[in-house]
Amino acid sequence: MHREHRRHGYGGAITVAAAAVLRELGSSSAIVCAPSSRVGAVATYRSAGFRPLPEVWDRCRSGTARAPSAGPPLNGTGATND
């Protein structure tokens, strides 16, 4: 999100609205993924009801393990503050 639009609640509102639409469509859960270095994004998802899941290491074709490029996913119901 552009710097001028951060910390106004837009990201949280969009996240909660998207979770509500998914719920209306019959989804019981949603998973989002953000690099752990994106502290603001992770905080937005957590405030919307998502919770961190354990990191999963990817396997490359060479057979070596590497850290996930996007960080651990966050899983949740996208709970609203009703």
Side-chain angles (χ1 to χ4, degrees), residues 6 8 10 13 29 33-34 36 41-42 46 49 54 57 60 65-66 70 76 79-80:
R6 293 180 189 158
H8 292 287
Y10 303 138
S29 65
C33 192
S36 56
V42 173
R46 292 194 74 165
W57 288 64
C60 298
R66 65 182 171 114
T80 60

Side-chain angles (χ1 to χ4, degrees), residues 35-50:
S36 56
S37 61
R38 300 282 311 268
V39 179
V42 173
T44 296
Y45 293 136
R46 292 194 74 165
S47 70
F50 290 87

Side-chain angles (χ1 to χ4, degrees), residues 49-69:
F50 290 87
R51 60 180 170 70
L53 294 175
E55 286 192 26
V56 176
W57 288 64
D58 296 328
R59 286 255 175 222
C60 298
R61 288 187 185 259
S62 66
T64 60
R66 65 182 171 114
S69 58

Side-chain angles (χ1 to χ4, degrees), residues 2-13:
H2 191 275
R3 184 178 318 250
E4 293 176 13
H5 300 291
R6 293 180 189 158
R7 306 203 43 90
H8 292 287
Y10 303 138

